[in-house]
Amino acid sequence: MGKRISALVALLLIAALVAACGGGGGSQQQSSNSSSSSSSSSSARRIEVVGTEFAYNPSTITVKQGETVEIVFKNEGTVPHDLLIDEFSVKTAAIAAGTSTTVRFTPNRAGQFKIYCAEPGHEAAGMVATLVVE
Ligand SMILES: [Cu+2]
C-alpha cells in the first residue's frame, strides 16, 4: 500500500516537471515562429492562387521583374494538384485536396509565362494560368 502511494507521488512529480518544461519550450517556439514569418512576408510579394478541377484562380498573375514573389498555392479541389512555371524553375509538389504549399521565385525577365498543372490530363483540361512579368 505504502509503496503504491509513493509510486503515485513520484509519477505526479514527473508529470508536473514535464508539464513545466513543455510549457516553457512551447512559448519559446511560438515567439521565434512569429518573428521569422513577419520578416519573410515583408521581403516578398505574396500572391494566393487557388487550384480546382480544372482551373487556377486568379487566371492571370501580374508581377514586376526583379521582385521576389511568394505564391501560396491552395488546393481547393478534390484531387491532387501542383503548380509549375518552367521558365523560372517553379515547381510545387502535387498537394492533396484541402492543403496548401508555398513557392518563392524572382522573375528575372519580362514577358508572359505559362502556369500549369503537371498532373496527367489537367493542363489539357484547362488547368493553366498566365504569369505576366512587367
Ligand atoms: Cu491539377
Side-chain angles (χ1 to χ4, degrees):
M1 194 68 153
K3 220 176 179 183
R4 230 182 174 173
I5 288 167
S6 62
L8 196 75
V9 168
L11 208 73
L12 282 171
L13 270 171
I14 290 164
L17 276 169
V18 167
C21 289
S27 65
Q28 224 170 12
Q29 204 175 17
Q30 210 167 28
S31 64
S32 69
N33 272 355
S34 61
S35 65
S36 70
S37 68
S38 65
S39 65
S40 67
S41 61
S42 62
S43 60
R45 172 130 173 239
R46 204 160 203 237
I47 297 166
E48 226 171 72
V49 179
V50 172
T52 54
E53 291 82 40
F54 292 95
Y56 290 109
N57 186 26
S59 58
T60 303
I61 298 167
T62 305
V63 299
K64 288 191 172 68
Q65 184 178 341
E67 82 176 340
T68 303
V69 178
E70 186 175 84
I71 291 179
V72 180
F73 176 52
K74 289 186 173 177
N75 183 353
E76 291 187 0
T78 58
V79 300
H81 292 293
D82 48 34
L83 186 154
L84 289 84
I85 308 168
D86 288 342
E87 289 84 353
F88 302 117
S89 301
V90 171
K91 186 181 193 297
T92 71
I95 57 168
T99 64
S100 67
T101 187
T102 301
V103 64
R104 262 183 185 234
F105 66 101
T106 306
N108 55 4
R109 57 195 155 118
Q112 292 199 6
F113 307 94
K114 185 176 72 177
I115 298 169
Y116 69 100
C117 179
E119 293 304 288
H122 289 204
E123 184 188 349
M127 198 161 184
V128 288
T130 305
L131 175 76
V132 178
V133 183
E134 297 180 321

